[in-house]
Structure formats: structure tokens, C-alpha cells
Amino acid sequence: MRKPALNENILLTIEKPARYIGNEVNSVYKDPEGAAIRFAMCFPDVYEIGMSHLGMKILYDMFNRRKDVYCERVFSPWPDLHKIMKEKQIPLFALESQQPVRNFDFIGITLQYEMCYTNILQILDLAQIPLEASGRTDDMPLVIGGGPCTYNPEPVAEFFDMIYIGEGEVSYDALFDLYLSMKAQGYSRKEFLIKAASIPGIYVPLLYDVTYHADGTICQMKPDTPGVPGRVKKQLVTDLDHAVYPEKPVVPFLKITQDRAVLEVMRGCIRGCRFCQAGQIYRPAREKKVEVLIRQADQMLQSTGYDEISLTSLSSSDYSGLEELIQYLISHYQSKGVNISLPSLRVDAFSLDVMGKVQDIRKSSLTFAPEAGSQRMRDVMNKGLTEEEILKGCGLAFAGGWQKVKLYFMLGLPGETEEDMRAIAQLADQIAVRYYEIPKDRRNGKCQITISTSFFVPKPFTPFQWAPMYPQEEYQRRAGIVNETVKAQLNRKSIRYNWHEPDVTVLEGIFARGDRRLSRVIRYAYEDGALFDAWSEFYDHGRWMRAFEKAGIDPDFYTMRRREADEIFPWDFIDDGVSKSYLYREWEKAGQGIVTGNCRQNCSGCGAMQFKGGVCYENQD
């Protein structure tokens, strides 16, 4: 019988103790002593966020299917418990066994968002192991990172023994088998890491040296050990139909961010939006067969008792079997009170027809992402969406009974003018006009249009990775222009405007394209109290500016300058299948406002055909 890591007195003094006790429905329990490998699957954010993460659910299920592996879950303790654990020297523990993760073989940490980087240090600190990989000994867990931020892992590279680049279903079995073999033969930590670096997708930062030019840009990055590859190739699942998928996911005791069954219909995206990292790094687009999805949906709903199922992908409208899948779910589950959620839809007649079938229009709003107000900026970013399509789609929605629309835009895109900024509010006004063109007796209440703008962050492996950012004050000024224009619109009472704080955006941009010299900044900020920086109530910009000053690093170096065509980026050692020459062609086309067709229209020559799967091979011999 397991012993709780926290006694009753502590649990009664902290917020939401259910975050830490485990025992949820479908949790996996094994004999810890009988497992050859113990893996702590850590998400560096609060339980409610981490439990909503699909990638973590997939790997938890996959690892625990192996009889010789026991995978347990770990989440960042909320600040109230963090303080207690530090004061009482309580080591970080896993939910299932309640045992310290410092006794595990692996600590796996998801790198989902740059603003969670100080929480990585929290996990290592509370686990009572050295923060830097160089300070760990043979008897300590191996720390491995995975997730989208690994496509530039350099700002946190010094904290990891290994980083997995790509989709985890591919190479983890080989890594575990190697570990068991070398452990049985008594090899050292360093010997194992050298051998592990030869497994596709495994990057070992300690085995690479980086040199810099006098101007601070990278001169060279190369392995310092014979046999270690110069480039690390991303790993990608080409056959989703036979890939592992959790059909009995863990059901939490408390409400989480995405508290529903999640059905992944496809990976990748056929669109080529130039700002979107996910659309590039997950190329090529790969679909699951409808019959596979039907089986997975049936099993998940039966094993969890959820009354909602969400069809997830980067662009659900582009899934070729969507209509057939929706018809099945409606016919089998709508009468049983199961709601069907469809995020990531485009503004078109087909999507609205689907939405009309699965949503109660009196209770829901529609969400669209035009990303830019002017057609010129949508062409620059290659959004592939015209003003006519937006207005027509909203008009069809209004005619179908919706009256609430949420619109997402970005400010600070390359080449953006004041006219483009004002076009955001003007587009919202045009959408409101479409609503009031409907006869009054056929309207469904007052029109409500909510505009939300985030600030553009240039990400690695996108055509905009060469673009500069702006100072915090400039982002604020641009949001002010949109706000001023909203107030001047004829239908201003129907329009609401929200925008994100720009200070977080600037820091996100620094870490998105930064190098390993930033590890010092992250450590100094953590030591100064930085934690849960993704949460506005905890973020302290001054704390970060002190950390940059202490490290002797100018943050403007990473944000304000435009990159040259031949600059070596910190992430250039990664082969993600999309060529740098293709990305630069798209960067040049953006400057000219030239649109590139989607992958089903024509091949853009991005390089992803090398994976021999997905949409690249449709209709080809």
C-alpha cells in the first residue's frame, strides 16, 4: 500500500489538494520494485494544464504498455505547496506511487511553452538534483525534454541530459532498450549518453560545442565526441492508424482546462501560414482513417464517462473524413447527451454546416482566426483567406442563428502598417453590418463581436524566423491604435476588444530564438523567485530584467535585429525535414505579398516529402 507524500495537515492548508493525491480513474498502477525502468513524466505547469496535454497522455499510455517500464505523472506544485516543500525539504514526488522522482531512472519534461522555463528549474530543484546536467552523477535520473519548444532547445539545453526532437512514439523504445542493456553491463552515465546520441531524434547538449562571432551571432556548433551526429533529425509517425493512442485516458478528480475526451483526427497541416511553427514542424499532414477514429471514440467515451468529445488537429476543416465522422458521432452519441466540440475550423460554408449539426446555437459562439484585418497582411502571412470569404462565412453563421463571434488577430507582423492595424476594427465593423442586414425578426438577439489580439512572435522553422520584433512600448501603441479605431466604428457597441500584455511577448520572443547563453538568465530569474511566468498574476518583468543585467546579456540582441540570410541559427543543427532554403523563399515571397497554395493544390518544395507519408504523396505514383 502506498504512503502519501503529503500528510493531512499539509493537504488541508493548500489550494486544490486533489492535484497531488493521484488515484484518478484509469491511472496505471504497477509494482515499483518490479519495473526495470521508472519514468517520471513531468509537465512544468499546474495539474489542470498538464492533464489537458494530449502528448503527455499518449506517452503515458505508450510507456506503461511496456511491462518493464513504469511511467508516473508529475506536475509543477502550485506556489503555496512549492513554499512548503522548500521549507520542509519535501522531495518532488510522482502521483501514482507518491515516491520521490529523484529515485527514478528518467525525468521527462515537456517543453510546451517558453514561459514555463523557470518551472523546469522548479521541477529539478524540488527533485533535489543539480539544475545543470554537467553536475549530475551516475546515480541520478537522466533528464530528457520533449515537445514543440525542442525545435530550439538551446536556452534550456544546459539543464537537460537529452532532448528528444520529434514525435515520441518513434524512438523511445530504442532508448529504453539501450538503457537496459548498458545498465546491465555497468556503463557510466557519460558512456550511455554518447551511445544514446546515435539514436535518431536524440540530442545530447553536453556533447556539442558552440562558438560565437564578435557580434554575438553563432560561428559554429559541432559535436566534441567522435560518432556523434552533426545534425539531429526529427522523428515523425508516418502511419497514425497504427500508432499508440490512449483509449483509457486518466480522468481527473477536478475540472481541468480541456475536460473532455480528445480525438486526434490528423497531424500536420496542409496550409502554409508563414507565422505558424506547428504548421511547419509537423509537416507533412497525416490523417487517421475514419474507422480508426470511430473505434477510438467509442472506447474513450466508454472508459471515461465523458459527456463531450473534441476533435483535435491544427485545422479540423481540412480532415477529409470529417463529414462521415461527424455523422457517426451525431447518430450514436448526441441522443445520449454527448456534446461534440470542433475547434480549429475555417470560415466556410462546410464548416458552418458541420457546426450547426453539433452545437446548440443558443448557447455557443463561433471562433474564427483571420489573423490580420487587411487582405494585404493576410497575403503577407499566407493565411489563404479573403475578406469575401470571411464576410460570407460570418453571414452564413448569422443566418444560421449565431450572434456571437470571436475573432483572433495578431499585431506586430512583418511589414505591418497603421492602415493594417485599423483594418482589424474595420473588419469587425463590416461583420457587424452583415448581422444587422438580417431582418430584425430573424435575428437571435444582439450581435456580439469580440476581438482579441496577441502580439506576433517569430518562431524557429518558420519563414518569419528572420523577422525582428518591436519594443514593448511599440506593441502597446499598436494595441492602442486598434482600440481607438474600435471606438470610432459605427457598430462599436457590438464590438469588444481585448489584447495581451506585450512584456510577456517580448520575453517569449527572446527564448523562442535564443541560444544557450540564456540558461544563465533563466537560472538567475528562478533564483530571484520567477515561477509560473505564463500566469499574469505571477509574472514580474522587473525580475527578468534584473536577471539579464546580472548575466551581462542585452535582451534586444535577440529581438530587435533583423537576421541576415546566411546567419547560423541556434536551431540549425536540427533537421526537421523543412529546408532552410524553402523557408527563406517564403520569407521573400512574404515581402512581396505573394501567396503560396496549400499542399493539396500544389507542392511547394518544402522538403517534407522525404518522410514518405502524408499529403505529399497523394495522387502520386
Side-chain angles (χ1 to χ4, degrees):
M1 185 175 179
R2 69 176 196 159
K3 180 182 178 181
L6 302 176
N7 63 45
E8 188 174 298
N9 291 333
I10 293 175
L11 289 172
L12 290 173
T13 63
I14 60 175
E15 182 181 344
K16 298 183 181 179
R19 292 167 171 163
Y20 312 107
I21 59 177
N23 284 322
E24 307 100 319
V25 173
N26 295 333
S27 299
V28 176
Y29 291 95
K30 298 182 179 182
D31 177 10
E33 302 302 321
I37 293 177
R38 297 193 66 187
F39 194 106
M41 181 74 70
C42 305
F43 196 93
D45 207 329
V46 73
Y47 176 94
E48 294 93 318
I49 302 294
M51 279 294 291
S52 302
H53 186 246
L54 179 59
M56 187 170 183
K57 295 177 183 178
I58 291 173
L59 293 184
Y60 178 79
D61 181 87
M62 172 184 162
F63 293 175
N64 279 317
R65 292 191 188 194
R66 286 185 59 137
K67 293 182 179 179
D68 54 1
V69 176
Y70 187 13
C71 179
E72 303 183 49
R73 294 163 297 133
V74 182
F75 304 97
S76 283
W78 198 241
D80 55 355
L81 181 58
H82 173 92
K83 184 174 183 292
I84 293 171
M85 293 177 74
K86 289 288 286 182
E87 290 174 350
K88 297 182 178 296
Q89 287 293 296
I90 300 171
L92 186 68
F93 55 92
L95 294 191
E96 281 76 4
S97 68
Q98 298 281 295
Q99 293 181 359
V101 300
R102 68 185 178 198
N103 299 331
F104 283 47
D105 299 286
F106 290 87
I107 295 178
I109 303 177
T110 300
L111 307 182
Q112 186 67 23
Y113 179 37
E114 291 87 354
M115 299 310 296
C116 291
Y117 282 174
T118 51
N119 283 59
I120 295 170
L121 300 193
Q122 178 206 31
I123 286 170
L124 300 175
D125 184 20
L126 293 180
Q128 300 175 0
I129 64 173
L131 300 185
E132 278 88 10
S134 59
R136 296 174 198 144
T137 56
D138 286 359
D139 61 340
M140 295 178 181
L142 290 154
V143 181
I144 183 167
C149 289
T150 62
Y151 285 87
N152 178 24
E154 290 304 277
V156 292
E158 293 185 6
F159 309 128
F160 288 90
D161 298 293
M162 295 174 286
I163 290 171
Y164 186 111
I165 312 254
E167 296 172 354
E169 297 97 323
V170 183
S171 289
Y172 263 113
D173 281 331
L175 182 67
F176 292 156
D177 291 343
L178 175 68
Y179 177 77
L180 290 174
S181 173
M182 295 190 73
K183 183 180 179 181
Q185 298 176 63
Y187 283 99
S188 69
R189 184 188 196 91
K190 180 69 176 292
E191 289 170 322
F192 169 74
L193 289 173
I194 292 172
K195 193 70 174 176
S198 64
I199 296 176
I202 301 296
Y203 167 50
V204 180
L206 283 172
L207 303 181
Y208 292 78
D209 288 329
V210 184
T211 57
Y212 301 89
H213 293 295
D215 65 358
T217 59
I218 292 177
C219 174
Q220 190 178 46
M221 178 177 178
K222 63 178 183 179
D224 65 2
T225 305
V228 174
R231 300 196 78 200
V232 181
K233 188 178 181 67
K234 84 169 179 185
Q235 299 305 289
L236 182 132
V237 179
T238 55
D239 182 6
L240 289 181
D241 291 330
H242 295 94
V244 173
Y245 198 77
E247 295 169 348
K248 296 177 68 177
V250 178
V251 182
F253 285 138
L254 51 90
K255 186 172 179 60
I256 62 175
T257 307
Q258 303 292 332
D259 203 12
R260 59 186 69 95
V262 177
L263 192 63
E264 184 185 35
V265 299
M266 61 185 286
R267 288 186 192 173
C269 183
I270 66 171
R271 312 289 165 177
C273 298
R274 293 172 179 136
F275 62 87
C276 181
Q277 185 186 50
Q280 303 293 340
I281 64 176
Y282 295 126
R283 287 187 172 212
R286 293 146 287 150
E287 296 187 347
K288 285 184 185 177
K289 292 178 181 176
V290 172
E291 55 265 33
V292 173
L293 292 169
I294 287 173
R295 174 175 54 81
Q296 291 175 348
D298 289 343
Q299 290 174 329
M300 277 193 295
L301 289 170
Q302 182 178 1
S303 68
T304 62
Y306 275 123
D307 60 3
E308 183 174 354
I309 185 166
S310 175
L311 310 187
T312 185
S313 71
L314 292 177
S315 181
S316 299
S317 299
D318 293 321
Y319 175 57
S320 59
L322 184 61
E323 188 170 15
E324 182 182 352
L325 178 62
I326 289 295
Q327 289 295 345
Y328 173 85
L329 294 174
I330 289 173
S331 63
H332 283 72
Y333 290 108
Q334 203 164 52
S335 62
K336 299 176 182 178
V338 176
N339 184 46
I340 303 164
S341 174
L342 283 164
S344 306
L345 290 177
R346 292 174 65 81
V347 188
D348 55 34
F350 168 69
S351 298
L352 290 165
D353 180 58
V354 170
M355 291 290 286
K357 292 176 181 176
V358 302
Q359 282 197 1
D360 180 345
I361 61 176
R362 292 175 178 82
K363 296 181 179 178
S364 64
S365 62
L366 285 177
T367 301
F368 300 130
E371 308 294 1
S374 70
Q375 189 61 50
R376 188 189 75 84
M377 280 310 302
R378 285 192 295 274
D379 291 345
V380 166
M381 66 170 67
N382 205 48
K383 181 63 180 176
L385 192 63
T386 66
E387 183 175 293
E388 181 182 352
E389 289 170 329
I390 294 169
L391 294 176
K392 181 180 178 182
C394 289
L396 288 169
F398 295 146
W402 279 279
Q403 92 278 10
K404 298 178 182 179
V405 177
K406 296 178 182 178
L407 303 170
Y408 288 99
F409 298 91
M410 281 188 289
L411 285 171
L413 286 155
E416 182 182 66
T417 66
E418 185 171 318
E419 184 179 351
D420 297 318
M421 302 169 212
R422 296 191 183 280
I424 292 173
Q426 292 161 357
L427 178 62
D429 189 68
Q430 287 180 275
I431 292 171
V433 168
R434 281 294 174 101
Y435 181 79
Y436 290 115
E437 287 175 348
I438 298 173
K440 193 170 184 178
D441 60 344
R442 289 168 51 195
R443 297 176 200 161
N444 191 30
K446 181 183 176 182
C447 176
Q448 299 177 43
I449 299 173
T450 301
I451 303 172
S452 292
T453 59
S454 59
F455 297 109
F456 164 69
V457 175
K459 294 290 180 101
F461 293 107
T462 69
F464 287 167
Q465 65 184 352
W466 284 273
M469 293 181 69
Y470 298 101
Q472 178 180 329
E473 299 76 18
E474 175 60 19
Y475 288 120
Q476 197 71 50
R477 186 187 73 86
R478 292 177 183 231
I481 289 173
V482 177
N483 192 40
E484 169 193 294
T485 312
V486 166
K487 293 177 179 178
Q489 298 306 298
L490 179 65
N491 295 289
R492 58 187 176 275
K493 291 184 178 180
S494 297
I495 305 172
R496 180 182 177 186
Y497 177 44
N498 304 313
W499 66 91
H500 294 182
E501 290 302 316
D503 49 4
V504 175
T505 298
V506 172
L507 191 60
E508 180 186 343
I510 291 170
F511 291 130
R513 293 187 297 178
D515 52 55
R516 60 174 62 182
R517 292 173 293 189
L518 292 173
S519 295
R520 299 198 308 277
V521 178
I522 297 169
R523 177 161 189 167
Y524 292 152
Y526 175 71
E527 291 171 346
D528 193 24
L531 196 63
F532 286 100
D533 295 293
W535 297 73
S536 58
E537 61 263 44
F538 298 119
Y539 180 76
D540 183 340
H541 193 66
R543 181 183 286 140
W544 281 99
M545 292 304 100
R546 290 194 299 272
F548 277 104
E549 185 176 359
K550 184 176 180 180
I553 291 176
D554 179 8
D556 289 350
F557 172 79
Y558 297 99
T559 55
M560 302 299 292
R561 63 186 184 85
R562 177 178 174 137
R563 275 65 173 166
E564 298 299 326
D566 59 352
E567 179 173 334
I568 296 174
F569 295 138
W571 53 91
D572 277 350
F573 73 94
I574 298 172
D575 177 6
D576 88 322
V578 176
S579 71
K580 195 172 183 179
S581 59
Y582 155 76
L583 294 173
Y584 196 77
R585 287 199 306 272
E586 287 295 300
W587 170 236
E588 291 181 315
K589 289 171 73 174
Q592 302 168 48
I594 299 174
V595 173
T596 298
N598 71 60
C599 296
R600 288 198 174 120
Q601 293 174 325
N602 59 272
C603 178
S604 58
C606 72
M609 289 180 71
Q610 65 180 281
F611 290 104
K612 302 186 185 303
V615 72
C616 290
Y617 275 69
E618 288 185 0
N619 304 318
Q620 294 192 24
D621 296 329

